[in-house]
Every structure is written in structure tokens, then in C-alpha cells.
Amino acid sequence: SDVFGNMGGSKRERGNFPALSFAVSIGIIEKIRQIIRAKCLYGKGERDMERILPIIGDADVYAANNPFMAHNHIEITRIDREEDGDYCAEVRVVLRPESMNLHGAVHGGLLYGLADCVAGIAARCDGNDYVTQSAHVNFLRNTKQGVVYALARVVRRGRHMVVLHVAIRDAEDRLLADCAVDMMRMET
């Protein structure tokens, strides 16, 4: 069994992530920790660029070892340094039948999940680990097909908390949800 448990579906349906044994995934996590302070940035969502990101390490490995992201087909598309020196992060999901609610539109839980994942990625770019303390989502409209993107920007970074703004948009750049997410730093 792989680190995700029995997810079912083909390798293609799981996002082309290789099955990793627990021991191998621990080794990968150690490698990510070694890369943690790297200054390489992945930008503009171009798939042919190097996929090494600050604190996150290898974006594909990070996503593959995050069971929630892997299960929901959430991909990291970019992490950029903002003018103020902090980071913004973007994730995306290509909509599938299992992404939808009973009305055939994107499930609100998936939109919340995008906001939570991308906020955590942006928060972790300072070299610390964070968990969600609270989140507020304003669902503004919905979509029934295509790709959905979530972009997180740091509003304020304190010693123990990071406040982030997340905008969730469809491929036509229509705002689907506007979110405020508070992340709490984990003590190590």
C-alpha cells in the first residue's frame, strides 16, 4: 500500500504521483527539509521550469506527500516573492465529476480546500510550519467546468500568526470566492 492508503483509481486519475513507501516518503521529507532555505523560485506557472520552491522543496513531492492535495488533484502552480519580500502562492485544480456538488457545480468544500492548501503553502515560505487557525469564505459565484485557481497573499505576518487573503477564480478570471485565512505557527 502507498502512503495515501487505498485511494482507488488509476495512476493517471491520482495525478501521476508514484506510490511511495513510508520509508521512502520519510527520506523525501528529510530532503525537503534540506532544501527548505533554498532561494530557487518557481514562477509564472510554467511546467518546464525547475520545480524547487522555498520551504516547500520539490513541488511535485510536496503535493504527492500531502494526501489531501493528492486526493483532490490540487497542484501547486507557482510561488513568487512579492515586492514587500513575502511570498504569494497559487494552486489549481482541473475540475472532475467528483469535484461537483449535487447541482453540477464546484463543491464549496473543494473551494475551501483550495483556500486552505494555498494559504498553508504561502505561510510556510518563512521556514516555519503552520496549521489553519480560522478561515472565512465568501462564496460569490460558481462554475461547472474547467480549471479553478486559488492565489494566496500574506496580509500580515506576526511571530505566531499569519493572516492571508485568498482569491479563488475560474479560468476566465471570474472571482468565485474571497477568503481570509489565519494560520498559526507550530512550535517545534
Side-chain angles (χ1 to χ4, degrees), residues 32-33 35-39 41 53-57 62 79-81 84-89 118-131 154 156-164 183-188:
I32 290 171
R33 287 185 178 138
I35 297 171
I36 251 166
R37 302 264 182 227
K39 296 299 178 191
L41 298 179
L53 310 171
I55 187 63
I56 301 305
Y62 178 88
I79 294 179
D80 292 321
R81 190 181 290 269
D84 65 2
D86 219 320
Y87 291 91
C88 69
V118 75
I121 292 165
R124 288 180 182 95
C125 285
D126 72 350
N128 292 297
D129 193 17
Y130 289 84
V131 295
V154 174
R156 183 176 188 287
R157 187 180 292 277
R159 288 183 311 172
H160 302 285
M161 296 289 294
V162 179
V163 177
L164 300 108
M183 304 296 288
M184 181 175 61
R185 185 168 60 93
M186 299 294 294
E187 300 296 328
T188 55

Side-chain angles (χ1 to χ4, degrees), residues 4 7 13-15 17 63-64 66-74:
F4 310 116
M7 288 176 28
E13 290 168 336
R14 290 191 312 263
F17 298 121
N66 181 320
F68 183 83
M69 288 180 67
H71 180 75
N72 289 287
H73 314 286
I74 298 171

Side-chain angles (χ1 to χ4, degrees), residues 28 31-43 46-62 76-80 87 125:
I28 290 170
K31 182 65 176 171
I32 290 171
R33 287 185 178 138
Q34 292 171 5
I35 297 171
I36 251 166
R37 302 264 182 227
K39 296 299 178 191
C40 291
L41 298 179
Y42 173 72
E46 298 173 22
R47 297 297 293 177
D48 59 339
M49 295 183 72
E50 187 175 4
R51 306 259 312 144
I52 303 298
L53 310 171
I55 187 63
I56 301 305
D58 182 298
D60 296 321
V61 172
Y62 178 88
I76 301 170
T77 55
R78 69 182 171 112
I79 294 179
D80 292 321
Y87 291 91
C125 285

Side-chain angles (χ1 to χ4, degrees), residues 19-34:
L20 301 172
S21 70
F22 183 72
V24 171
S25 65
I26 295 299
I28 290 170
I29 291 169
E30 283 305 311
K31 182 65 176 171
I32 290 171
R33 287 185 178 138
Q34 292 171 5

